[in-house]
Amino acid sequence: MSEAGGRGCGSPVPQRAPWSLVAATAAICLVSATSVWTVGAEPMSREEKQKLGNQVLEMFDHAYGNYMEHAYPADELMPLTCRGRVRGQEPSRGDVDDALGKFSLTLIDSLDTLVVLNKTKEFEDAVRKVLRDVNLDNDVVVSVFETNIRVLGGLLGGHSLAIMLKEKGEYMQWYNDELLQMAKQLGYKLLPAFNTTSGLPYPRINLKFGIRKPEARTGTETDTCTACAGTLILEFAALSRFTGATIFEEYARKALDFLWEKRQRSSNLVGVTINIHTGDWVRKDSGVGAGIDSYYEYLLKAYVLLGDDSFLERFNTHYDAIMRYISQPPLLLDVHIHKPMLNARTWMDALLAFFPGLQVLKGDIRPAIETHEMLYQVIKKHNFLPEAFTTDFRVHWAQHPLRPEFAESTYFLYKATGDPYYLEVGKTLIENLNKYARVPCGFAAMKDVRTGSHEDRMDSFFLAEMFKYLYLLFADKEDIIFDIEDYIFTTEAHLLPLWLSTTNQSISKKNTTSEYTELDDSNFDWTCPNTQILFPNDPLYAQSIREPLKNVVDKSCPRGIIRVREESFRSGAKPPLRARDFMATNPEHLEILKKMGVSLIHLKDGRVQLVQHAIQAASSIDAEDGLRFMQEMIELSSQQQKEQQLPPRAVQIVSHPFFGRVVLTAGPAQFGLDLSKHKETRGFVASSKPYNGCSELTNPEAVMGKIALIQRGQCMFAEKARNIQNAGAIGGIVIDDNEGSSSDTAPLFQMAGDGKDTDDIKIPMLFLFSKEGSIILDAIREYEEVEVLLSDKAKDRAAILKDPEMENEEQPSSENDSQNQSAEQISSSSQEVDLVDQESSEENSLNSHPESLSPADMDNAASISPSEQTSNPTENHETANLNGECTDLDNQLQEQSETEEDSNPNVSWGKKVQPIDSILADWNEDIEAFEMMEKDEL
Ligand code: DMJ
């Protein structure tokens, strides 16, 4: 540890120091506590740590190697179809694709990871490839935020470590700041985005044509997210200080200054989205996750890197507000910026998992331990952190794109506490990645953590961040070829050297509006995690913080909601009417509605429609209550809609050469055998004749005892089911006749009955979109005998292979057994969409559901069915909690999260062992066929 770090962390309240020293201190403090832990979780031996470190290296090689082999120079790897994701050549995924600029994103994002993982030779090769192949002048519209954190950050991280290596004298001796020149070129390309009166950047820019030109196809946006505008300062200041070109740091500072000016002055919170022209808050909800997260992160880190006190003061002001309103340990719940005592949501998103790590940097470790523990409990339930989960820990959005935030916080908590518990947490993350996300061609994002299905996606941040944090977690100082404490991590985990704080510093003060005020010492409280405060003579202190939270997920209480109510009652005011409590038959409620400017219209079909006219409210406070009520009502009704939908099901191909590794997410049927209640159905597939299954089958002998394949169309699903059942089929798979349809681009499809009694249908029926259906049809063409498993979620491969019928099958053998447990999903169905998309569509839902729309002049409208109100499970939770009881009502969650049996290493492999290479070759042939099919369609 350096002297500066020792000094800073030694004193109970760190003394104010010259800014450059403080900058260094805050970062170095993270390692100060590693020797504190003596009792509690079992210490991990050096050998075990090394073993886990090596496992991380092997996993990185698998991800990076497959990207380089099968995807490069494309931006990302599609790990299921084993090819590159090229923008424009795949169906658009909306905003997520804005990260892809045809600039070999994953390679650039991986550069400094290679050095951290001690792969210096590979780094040297990678840099040469970037310089040789990457073009930053493509006619493509990209996200300014993503391009900044991933590409500019990646180039700067690469440059930072290239000059470090060059100075060491062995590697990179030829390097002459080429990456920095590319970074500068990219920096200039991003600058036109800042051409707004506010100084907030446009969210998107065309790399070739900028914003204004007609060819640019962007520049009409009015809003951006707070994180999008407030996550530039580290990269832009580093670029300025490395090059001496002051303009970048100035622009980034100006954007931050504007956001600071626009903070809600009474709560000191910021909203999620802001109008870049007027500075008005567009979305006034406020949390620490999606849309805001790295704005806060960059204020604190800008102080660390640049030593400018005004950033610390801003961060501390916001942090106080976060801890006052948003933090409800262990939860972090969004609130309204104007009414911060009211929760804006009943769920949390996965991005907030970075926050405990930031709290460590701030030095506020207790709530960091609490939130981290809560998140870990959620992970233990679902193997991964779902994109969003409710306050009572049910899955809200079931995806998980292999986000690194939780690993990041785990690393920082370990650095701060030295508690081996966090090493065990890291070990679990590694195991889950290998067991559930690893596929032969990389690691695939989870499409649904409940079914274990995959998405054909491996985001670049997985390589930039996940492997870095996991490797560093288990590494000792001597395992890394440079001193990590000399660097700060950007939000994408790129490394910027702390010495930049003293380089070209004069430029930072020029042309910035940030007022410089003398800070009182309270601003420096806990700037370092102070071990005397954290562990007051008790090495079990951290464990004692975690202990009460051990069962928080199992025995969940929606605590945030309690707080709102308690606060309201305490102040003597009547609590505002909550959507979930509303009864259309309660006259008192109708009176409150009127006061809030909400009118109620009875529709002919029995539903009631709610419409809000803010100007008809009794006061502006009532109008705001009305707006919140309407927002809650919309959220509630979409939640109810979701709950009425059946979850997706899985079709897993178990025969040679798939052996359970391919899992297709299938749509359920509202009739027939319910696979969530019964054991899976296993059988060989056979096409029915006629293929549409609309009349008595002419080939009953072929489908008898098998799972019949039927084409969608021409008659009701129930009719098809009856026809194949009569022919003796044990199950049915309906394949979409809509050519090219895919669950990647279409929402989950659910087969309805025929409006009559369908109790006579006893067999399970599942639906596959055409793209997924083709996988089975192609497999039949290729292998003739294809066996599948119809179930509610992917089954463990060990269990599948234990089946006596499989005993003689060829089995893959591999050193890495866990790798073989994972199941690949060619594509899958789910109604869940990407977090960003979901947020925007949620916003639109106010205006887009025809049934909830009122005439154009209406401000807000929502429709509900009165009967839905009483069946809302949330209501039950609420009542229980108000009575002070906390019952675990979440049986569904329990069922979903039943951990699958561990793999059985004693599986008796058959005699005809087919080498893994040959299996993969077969697999690749399938993929090629699949690719050809897709190309044809395009
Ligand atoms: C990363 O690209 C960055 O960490 C960003 O700030 C938000 N999260 C993603 C990964 O989840």
PDB file of all heavy atoms in Angstrom, residues 145-146 149-150 293-294 297 351 403-405 461 465 491-492, ligand 1:
ATOM      1  N   PHE A 145     -23.592   7.691 -25.466  1.00  0.00           N
ATOM      2  CA  PHE A 145     -23.210   7.133 -24.155  1.00  0.00           C
ATOM      3  C   PHE A 145     -22.435   5.826 -24.320  1.00  0.00           C
ATOM      4  O   PHE A 145     -21.334   5.657 -23.791  1.00  0.00           O
ATOM      5  CB  PHE A 145     -24.489   6.914 -23.335  1.00  0.00           C
ATOM      6  CG  PHE A 145     -24.317   6.030 -22.134  1.00  0.00           C
ATOM      7  CD1 PHE A 145     -23.741   6.512 -20.970  1.00  0.00           C
ATOM      8  CD2 PHE A 145     -24.751   4.706 -22.159  1.00  0.00           C
ATOM      9  CE1 PHE A 145     -23.592   5.698 -19.851  1.00  0.00           C
ATOM     10  CE2 PHE A 145     -24.609   3.885 -21.045  1.00  0.00           C
ATOM     11  CZ  PHE A 145     -24.028   4.380 -19.894  1.00  0.00           C
ATOM     12  N   GLU A 146     -23.009   4.887 -25.075  1.00  0.00           N
ATOM     13  CA  GLU A 146     -22.358   3.574 -25.215  1.00  0.00           C
ATOM     14  C   GLU A 146     -21.020   3.707 -25.937  1.00  0.00           C
ATOM     15  O   GLU A 146     -20.050   3.041 -25.587  1.00  0.00           O
ATOM     16  CB  GLU A 146     -23.264   2.590 -25.981  1.00  0.00           C
ATOM     17  CG  GLU A 146     -24.593   2.270 -25.301  1.00  0.00           C
ATOM     18  CD  GLU A 146     -24.475   1.455 -24.022  1.00  0.00           C
ATOM     19  OE1 GLU A 146     -23.359   1.064 -23.661  1.00  0.00           O
ATOM     20  OE2 GLU A 146     -25.517   1.228 -23.383  1.00  0.00           O
ATOM     21  N   ILE A 149     -18.530   5.096 -23.360  1.00  0.00           N
ATOM     22  CA  ILE A 149     -18.006   4.233 -22.284  1.00  0.00           C
ATOM     23  C   ILE A 149     -17.306   2.994 -22.827  1.00  0.00           C
ATOM     24  O   ILE A 149     -16.347   2.526 -22.237  1.00  0.00           O
ATOM     25  CB  ILE A 149     -19.096   3.851 -21.257  1.00  0.00           C
ATOM     26  CG1 ILE A 149     -20.204   2.981 -21.879  1.00  0.00           C
ATOM     27  CG2 ILE A 149     -19.682   5.080 -20.581  1.00  0.00           C
ATOM     28  CD1 ILE A 149     -21.115   2.342 -20.839  1.00  0.00           C
ATOM     29  N   ARG A 150     -17.786   2.497 -23.966  1.00  0.00           N
ATOM     30  CA  ARG A 150     -17.209   1.229 -24.443  1.00  0.00           C
ATOM     31  C   ARG A 150     -16.041   1.443 -25.408  1.00  0.00           C
ATOM     32  O   ARG A 150     -15.020   0.782 -25.320  1.00  0.00           O
ATOM     33  CB  ARG A 150     -18.271   0.380 -25.139  1.00  0.00           C
ATOM     34  CG  ARG A 150     -19.454   0.058 -24.254  1.00  0.00           C
ATOM     35  CD  ARG A 150     -20.209  -1.103 -24.811  1.00  0.00           C
ATOM     36  NE  ARG A 150     -21.606  -1.124 -24.396  1.00  0.00           N
ATOM     37  CZ  ARG A 150     -22.400  -2.149 -24.564  1.00  0.00           C
ATOM     38  NH1 ARG A 150     -21.956  -3.231 -25.163  1.00  0.00           N
ATOM     39  NH2 ARG A 150     -23.658  -2.105 -24.175  1.00  0.00           N
ATOM     40  N   ASP A 293     -27.809   5.644 -12.942  1.00  0.00           N
ATOM     41  CA  ASP A 293     -26.673   5.000 -12.267  1.00  0.00           C
ATOM     42  C   ASP A 293     -25.307   5.681 -12.391  1.00  0.00           C
ATOM     43  O   ASP A 293     -24.750   6.208 -11.439  1.00  0.00           O
ATOM     44  CB  ASP A 293     -26.578   3.523 -12.702  1.00  0.00           C
ATOM     45  CG  ASP A 293     -26.684   3.301 -14.218  1.00  0.00           C
ATOM     46  OD1 ASP A 293     -26.751   4.288 -14.963  1.00  0.00           O
ATOM     47  OD2 ASP A 293     -26.677   2.127 -14.652  1.00  0.00           O
ATOM     48  N   SER A 294     -24.762   5.700 -13.614  1.00  0.00           N
ATOM     49  CA  SER A 294     -23.372   6.134 -13.726  1.00  0.00           C
ATOM     50  C   SER A 294     -23.205   7.658 -13.656  1.00  0.00           C
ATOM     51  O   SER A 294     -22.074   8.136 -13.570  1.00  0.00           O
ATOM     52  CB  SER A 294     -22.742   5.567 -15.001  1.00  0.00           C
ATOM     53  OG  SER A 294     -23.619   5.693 -16.082  1.00  0.00           O
ATOM     54  N   GLU A 297     -22.051   7.759 -10.241  1.00  0.00           N
ATOM     55  CA  GLU A 297     -20.721   7.126 -10.217  1.00  0.00           C
ATOM     56  C   GLU A 297     -19.654   8.099 -10.718  1.00  0.00           C
ATOM     57  O   GLU A 297     -18.573   8.225 -10.138  1.00  0.00           O
ATOM     58  CB  GLU A 297     -20.762   5.872 -11.121  1.00  0.00           C
ATOM     59  CG  GLU A 297     -19.460   5.116 -11.210  1.00  0.00           C
ATOM     60  CD  GLU A 297     -19.548   3.924 -12.179  1.00  0.00           C
ATOM     61  OE1 GLU A 297     -20.634   3.684 -12.773  1.00  0.00           O
ATOM     62  OE2 GLU A 297     -18.523   3.247 -12.358  1.00  0.00           O
ATOM     63  N   LEU A 351     -29.395  -3.049 -12.810  1.00  0.00           N
ATOM     64  CA  LEU A 351     -28.269  -2.132 -12.942  1.00  0.00           C
ATOM     65  C   LEU A 351     -27.864  -1.518 -11.600  1.00  0.00           C
ATOM     66  O   LEU A 351     -26.730  -1.106 -11.418  1.00  0.00           O
ATOM     67  CB  LEU A 351     -28.610  -1.035 -13.958  1.00  0.00           C
ATOM     68  CG  LEU A 351     -28.591  -1.527 -15.409  1.00  0.00           C
ATOM     69  CD1 LEU A 351     -29.294  -0.540 -16.316  1.00  0.00           C
ATOM     70  CD2 LEU A 351     -27.176  -1.745 -15.879  1.00  0.00           C
ATOM     71  N   ARG A 403     -24.817  -9.336 -16.998  1.00  0.00           N
ATOM     72  CA  ARG A 403     -24.340  -8.033 -16.501  1.00  0.00           C
ATOM     73  C   ARG A 403     -23.306  -8.216 -15.391  1.00  0.00           C
ATOM     74  O   ARG A 403     -23.427  -9.121 -14.557  1.00  0.00           O
ATOM     75  CB  ARG A 403     -25.507  -7.218 -15.956  1.00  0.00           C
ATOM     76  CG  ARG A 403     -26.432  -6.713 -17.022  1.00  0.00           C
ATOM     77  CD  ARG A 403     -27.307  -5.582 -16.487  1.00  0.00           C
ATOM     78  NE  ARG A 403     -28.321  -5.231 -17.449  1.00  0.00           N
ATOM     79  CZ  ARG A 403     -28.126  -4.456 -18.505  1.00  0.00           C
ATOM     80  NH1 ARG A 403     -26.926  -3.954 -18.717  1.00  0.00           N
ATOM     81  NH2 ARG A 403     -29.099  -4.182 -19.327  1.00  0.00           N
ATOM     82  N   PRO A 404     -22.339  -7.293 -15.361  1.00  0.00           N
ATOM     83  CA  PRO A 404     -21.233  -7.460 -14.417  1.00  0.00           C
ATOM     84  C   PRO A 404     -21.384  -6.703 -13.094  1.00  0.00           C
ATOM     85  O   PRO A 404     -20.521  -6.785 -12.234  1.00  0.00           O
ATOM     86  CB  PRO A 404     -20.067  -6.836 -15.199  1.00  0.00           C
ATOM     87  CG  PRO A 404     -20.718  -5.740 -15.998  1.00  0.00           C
ATOM     88  CD  PRO A 404     -22.099  -6.224 -16.338  1.00  0.00           C
ATOM     89  N   GLU A 405     -22.457  -5.927 -12.930  1.00  0.00           N
ATOM     90  CA  GLU A 405     -22.519  -5.018 -11.780  1.00  0.00           C
ATOM     91  C   GLU A 405     -22.385  -5.723 -10.437  1.00  0.00           C
ATOM     92  O   GLU A 405     -21.741  -5.206  -9.520  1.00  0.00           O
ATOM     93  CB  GLU A 405     -23.834  -4.213 -11.803  1.00  0.00           C
ATOM     94  CG  GLU A 405     -23.858  -3.059 -12.776  1.00  0.00           C
ATOM     95  CD  GLU A 405     -24.080  -3.489 -14.223  1.00  0.00           C
ATOM     96  OE1 GLU A 405     -24.291  -4.699 -14.457  1.00  0.00           O
ATOM     97  OE2 GLU A 405     -24.036  -2.635 -15.115  1.00  0.00           O
ATOM     98  N   PHE A 461     -19.705  -5.853 -22.762  1.00  0.00           N
ATOM     99  CA  PHE A 461     -19.361  -5.557 -21.366  1.00  0.00           C
ATOM    100  C   PHE A 461     -19.046  -6.816 -20.568  1.00  0.00           C
ATOM    101  O   PHE A 461     -18.398  -6.756 -19.529  1.00  0.00           O
ATOM    102  CB  PHE A 461     -20.437  -4.718 -20.678  1.00  0.00           C
ATOM    103  CG  PHE A 461     -21.853  -5.259 -20.760  1.00  0.00           C
ATOM    104  CD1 PHE A 461     -22.216  -6.433 -20.130  1.00  0.00           C
ATOM    105  CD2 PHE A 461     -22.824  -4.556 -21.464  1.00  0.00           C
ATOM    106  CE1 PHE A 461     -23.526  -6.909 -20.192  1.00  0.00           C
ATOM    107  CE2 PHE A 461     -24.134  -5.024 -21.539  1.00  0.00           C
ATOM    108  CZ  PHE A 461     -24.487  -6.212 -20.896  1.00  0.00           C
ATOM    109  N   GLU A 465     -15.893  -6.144 -18.435  1.00  0.00           N
ATOM    110  CA  GLU A 465     -16.062  -5.979 -16.992  1.00  0.00           C
ATOM    111  C   GLU A 465     -16.058  -7.284 -16.201  1.00  0.00           C
ATOM    112  O   GLU A 465     -15.339  -7.422 -15.223  1.00  0.00           O
ATOM    113  CB  GLU A 465     -17.382  -5.255 -16.712  1.00  0.00           C
ATOM    114  CG  GLU A 465     -17.450  -3.872 -17.334  1.00  0.00           C
ATOM    115  CD  GLU A 465     -18.644  -3.086 -16.805  1.00  0.00           C
ATOM    116  OE1 GLU A 465     -18.700  -2.851 -15.597  1.00  0.00           O
ATOM    117  OE2 GLU A 465     -19.510  -2.713 -17.609  1.00  0.00           O
ATOM    118  N   THR A 491     -16.989   3.352 -15.752  1.00  0.00           N
ATOM    119  CA  THR A 491     -18.200   2.556 -15.557  1.00  0.00           C
ATOM    120  C   THR A 491     -18.179   1.271 -16.384  1.00  0.00           C
ATOM    121  O   THR A 491     -18.887   0.319 -16.080  1.00  0.00           O
ATOM    122  CB  THR A 491     -19.464   3.387 -15.881  1.00  0.00           C
ATOM    123  OG1 THR A 491     -20.602   2.674 -15.426  1.00  0.00           O
ATOM    124  CG2 THR A 491     -19.590   3.678 -17.377  1.00  0.00           C
ATOM    125  N   GLU A 492     -17.356   1.232 -17.410  1.00  0.00           N
ATOM    126  CA  GLU A 492     -17.212   0.018 -18.223  1.00  0.00           C
ATOM    127  C   GLU A 492     -15.965  -0.758 -17.792  1.00  0.00           C
ATOM    128  O   GLU A 492     -15.481  -1.626 -18.502  1.00  0.00           O
ATOM    129  CB  GLU A 492     -17.125   0.435 -19.707  1.00  0.00           C
ATOM    130  CG  GLU A 492     -17.164  -0.678 -20.734  1.00  0.00           C
ATOM    131  CD  GLU A 492     -18.557  -1.254 -21.020  1.00  0.00           C
ATOM    132  OE1 GLU A 492     -19.537  -0.839 -20.383  1.00  0.00           O
ATOM    133  OE2 GLU A 492     -18.633  -2.128 -21.890  1.00  0.00           O
TER     134      GLU A 492
HETATM  135  C1  DMJ B   1     -22.119  -1.416 -18.785  1.00  0.00           C
HETATM  136  O1  DMJ B   1     -22.041  -1.147 -20.139  1.00  0.00           O
HETATM  137  C2  DMJ B   1     -21.772  -0.213 -17.986  1.00  0.00           C
HETATM  138  O2  DMJ B   1     -21.385  -0.642 -16.731  1.00  0.00           O
HETATM  139  C3  DMJ B   1     -22.888   0.777 -17.884  1.00  0.00           C
HETATM  140  O3  DMJ B   1     -22.614   1.851 -17.013  1.00  0.00           O
HETATM  141  C4  DMJ B   1     -24.182   0.162 -17.468  1.00  0.00           C
HETATM  142  N1  DMJ B   1     -24.105  -1.236 -17.420  1.00  0.00           N
HETATM  143  C5  DMJ B   1     -23.499  -1.936 -18.483  1.00  0.00           C
HETATM  144  C6  DMJ B   1     -23.439  -3.413 -18.178  1.00  0.00           C
HETATM  145  O4  DMJ B   1     -24.525  -3.878 -17.507  1.00  0.00           O
END
